[in-house]
Amino acid sequence: MLNSHGALENAQGALSTFTSNLVMFKVKSTADELKSRLERGSLALTIIDIRAPKSFDRQHIKGAISVPFSRLEDLARSALSRHREIYIYGESDEQSFHGSRILLSTGFRNVVQIIGGLTTWRKIAGATEGIGI
């Protein structure tokens, strides 16, 4: 049985290991937060739409890039900058959550999931583009 000093040292060691592995992943972000950043001219971010290409072509958040979910891991490794903040949305919050986890597992450290995706973005009158507008 460990004495209290030993237990404290073990806990501090575990906490140190845990905090050194933390990444910047906001489980939730509102469309309002992103819209506000874009209106202020914040350019150090990338918006990724992981829906099917046909859905992206119909309508997407203005400035977003299409990276279909099925190709996310490969394209993340080869074509996306790990130094930018990544905002991600998909067909559902579940899909964008899984996409966020893929990005984190490939070395991205600043990933933000847009809760409600394009549906919420349209509700707040966020700028969109595509052939279906």
Side-chain angles (χ1 to χ4, degrees):
M1 184 171 176
L2 291 174
N3 62 28
S4 61
H5 181 68
L8 180 58
E9 284 180 354
N10 286 344
Q12 287 173 332
L15 182 59
S16 175
T17 300
F18 173 74
T19 56
S20 68
N21 292 326
L22 284 178
V23 293
M24 293 179 66
F25 174 60
K26 293 168 69 174
V27 175
K28 297 180 182 178
S29 178
T30 66
D32 288 316
E33 290 173 294
L34 176 58
K35 185 178 179 192
S36 175
R37 284 197 63 189
L38 292 173
E39 288 170 348
R40 288 191 317 262
S42 182
L43 301 177
L45 59 88
T46 300
I47 305 168
I48 298 177
D49 182 326
I50 59 172
R51 299 174 303 145
K54 286 183 181 181
S55 296
F56 177 85
D57 291 343
R58 269 192 302 276
Q59 187 176 40
H60 55 271
I61 294 174
K62 187 173 183 174
I65 60 171
S66 177
V67 181
F69 184 81
S70 62
R71 300 196 55 223
L72 182 60
E73 186 170 355
D74 291 336
L75 290 174
R77 290 182 192 279
S78 64
L80 298 175
S81 172
R82 285 180 171 72
H83 304 290
R84 295 175 63 91
E85 188 168 10
I86 304 290
Y87 281 79
I88 188 169
Y89 69 99
E91 292 291 345
S92 66
D93 289 342
E94 182 178 358
Q95 185 188 46
S96 60
F97 176 78
H98 289 297
S100 298
R101 301 302 297 171
I102 288 171
L103 291 175
L104 290 168
S105 73
T106 58
F108 288 82
R109 295 293 175 245
N110 203 351
V111 179
V112 182
Q113 177 189 4
I114 305 170
I115 301 300
L118 186 61
T119 301
T120 300
W121 185 256
R122 287 191 307 248
K123 286 180 184 174
I124 64 164
T128 60
E129 54 191 359
I131 59 175
I133 317 179

